[in-house]
Amino acid sequence: MKTTFEDRPFIKSPFLTKMVNLFDSLRNKKKKYGVASCMLVTGESGSGKSELAKYYAKNNPKIEQVERTHIPVLHYELRSVSTPEEFLRSLLVTIGDPQCGRGARNKGELYERLITLLKVVGIELLILDEIQVIIERRSAKVVTGIADLFKDLINDTEIPIIFMGMPWSRYLVESNQQLARRISYRYTIPPFRISSNEERDDYRRLLMCLSEAYGLSKKIKLEEITMSLRCFSATSGNLAATANLVRDAKMMSEMEDMKVDTDLFAAVLSSYGIDERNNAFLQPMEKLVLRELLVHSDWHFGYRANKNAIIDAEYAEFGVSKSNKVFNLVG
């Protein structure tokens, strides 16, 4: 894994490296062959979706030219979107519409302005992030309307679009057969796991990269087997939670002038409000419980929009033997 250290390091795992290369490929495919292929990338909260999008957009920044501002890659993070019109206005503002999305008499005029502006700024790749918000607490009519809008965007702009969101974002895509046919590439960001040696080593490499990025590698070996198991127990292998843990340990060590060791990480968890009985850095190894993602979260559609609900992800639980072997706690 490679690390890119700024305020928050971006860890390029093999999977995320593959995604970056695919993003490049979609742009080149459009430039060379005129084919605009689209992609759906899903994953749990904290799996690295938004960080991937931000990293790619930052490494393909806007270019100020004589006659225009060229935006090769646009990362747009959806907020609470209630109507197609609201989505269009918000996207126009993000791109830099001189009228800030105002002045249009109807959805058609907003849409035409968006199509024109996308072409003027020369967008080569559009990343629509957090698309699951369209499903959450929205009526079937709203979901269908925005799915239709996405399909039209693909047709009329001929720009590769990457849709990103929680695992149930697939329902938005599948709600429109024409939209579904236009999204050829579909990936789910895999979670870090602990149940096999090979997968455990992937997580240990992540810890090593984070340790190096935050300047801790000469003070502590986070990738060491017992420390890595404690970190996994504390975070369930979640990428964002793991990165935050290491970052917060770095900051606490500097602010409190503390030695970088297991006690420091225990103090970080204590600062989160976790009591001693559940603190992975205070418990004996054989008392640790490691939760590994088994089934992704989902969405339950109720009879009314406000009755919809998230179905939590399911986890397998593992323990650690005195010889640091991981075993399933459920037979």
Side-chain angles (χ1 to χ4, degrees):
M1 296 183 184
K2 297 179 182 178
T3 58
T4 304
F5 180 70
E6 297 169 342
D7 293 334
R8 182 181 181 128
F10 178 74
I11 307 299
K12 291 181 72 174
S13 67
F15 179 84
L16 294 182
T17 297
K18 179 180 180 179
M19 290 297 98
V20 169
N21 292 337
L22 264 175
F23 291 3
D24 287 340
S25 177
L26 293 183
R27 292 168 65 193
N28 291 331
K29 191 175 177 182
K30 169 60 181 174
K31 288 178 182 178
K32 292 184 178 181
Y33 305 105
V35 175
S37 297
C38 298
M39 180 188 297
L40 173 65
V41 180
T42 60
E44 296 294 338
S45 178
S47 62
K49 302 182 300 296
S50 294
E51 292 302 315
L52 168 63
K54 291 173 185 175
Y55 170 82
Y56 193 79
K58 190 166 187 176
N59 281 271
N60 293 276
K62 62 176 64 175
I63 303 167
E64 295 297 338
Q65 299 175 336
V66 176
E67 297 182 350
R68 67 170 184 174
T69 297
H70 175 41
I71 307 176
V73 177
L74 180 68
H75 172 218
Y76 172 70
E77 189 171 319
L78 280 76
R79 303 297 181 182
S80 180
V81 178
S82 299
T83 64
E85 290 85 351
E86 187 177 337
F87 167 76
L88 290 169
R89 287 193 181 91
S90 181
L91 186 52
L92 279 165
V93 171
T94 300
I95 298 172
D97 176 30
Q99 299 181 64
C100 296
R102 296 189 293 267
R105 290 172 294 181
N106 51 50
K107 184 178 78 172
E109 288 188 4
L110 281 171
Y111 182 77
E112 290 303 321
R113 190 191 301 175
L114 175 63
I115 299 301
T116 299
L117 192 56
L118 286 169
K119 293 177 180 178
V120 167
V121 300
I123 288 178
E124 301 168 8
L125 187 72
L126 175 60
I127 304 175
L128 298 179
D129 196 3
E130 304 288 0
I131 65 169
Q132 78 279 347
V133 301
I134 296 168
I135 295 175
E136 296 169 359
R137 298 172 184 81
R138 300 289 172 261
S139 67
K141 182 178 179 181
V142 171
V143 172
T144 301
I146 296 182
D148 279 335
L149 178 59
F150 285 165
K151 180 257 296 180
D152 292 339
L153 268 179
I154 295 171
N155 288 342
D156 296 335
T157 64
E158 297 184 335
I159 294 172
I161 301 177
I162 296 171
F163 299 90
M164 286 185 168
M166 294 291 286
W168 60 86
S169 298
R170 68 185 185 277
Y171 294 130
L172 174 64
V173 172
E174 292 167 359
S175 70
N176 186 303
Q177 289 186 355
Q178 294 182 58
L179 175 62
R181 285 201 304 269
R182 286 163 173 77
I183 301 177
S184 305
Y185 299 81
R186 302 190 185 194
Y187 287 88
T188 298
I189 297 179
F192 285 97
R193 300 184 186 278
I194 204 76
S195 53
S196 73
N197 288 334
E198 182 179 353
E199 292 172 319
R200 196 177 313 154
D201 287 345
D202 286 339
Y203 186 68
R204 293 172 69 186
R205 279 190 288 271
L206 168 67
L207 290 170
M208 182 174 65
C209 290
L210 287 169
S211 181
E212 290 174 352
Y214 283 113
L216 301 178
S217 58
K218 293 182 179 179
K219 301 175 182 178
I220 191 170
K221 298 298 180 185
L222 295 181
E223 68 274 16
E224 184 267 329
I225 186 64
T226 57
M227 194 63 180
S228 64
L229 291 173
R230 291 186 185 279
C231 288
F232 195 96
S233 178
T235 64
S236 298
N238 182 276
L239 175 59
T242 302
N244 289 343
L245 173 65
V246 179
R247 178 203 63 194
D248 291 345
K250 166 71 171 180
M251 292 191 295
M252 181 175 283
S253 71
E254 294 181 351
M255 291 189 297
E256 305 294 336
D257 193 24
M258 294 178 65
K259 181 181 178 182
V260 179
D261 56 12
T262 305
D263 289 341
L264 170 66
F265 282 80
V268 171
L269 290 196
S270 294
S271 73
Y272 292 166
I274 297 173
D275 63 43
E276 292 185 5
R277 293 169 298 176
N278 297 311
N279 192 315
F281 298 98
L282 294 176
Q283 292 178 310
M285 290 296 294
E286 58 269 25
K287 294 289 186 181
L288 290 180
V289 175
L290 300 92
R291 300 172 72 244
E292 180 180 282
L293 183 66
L294 192 63
V295 179
H296 284 284
S297 57
D298 209 332
W299 186 256
H300 177 264
F301 290 90
Y303 292 106
R304 299 191 303 275
N306 61 2
K307 291 294 184 180
N308 295 340
I310 296 173
I311 301 172
D312 291 335
E314 296 179 19
Y315 291 82
E317 293 190 343
F318 295 85
V320 182
S321 70
K322 291 183 179 180
S323 58
N324 291 331
K325 301 293 184 182
V326 174
F327 61 91
N328 199 325
L329 289 175
V330 180

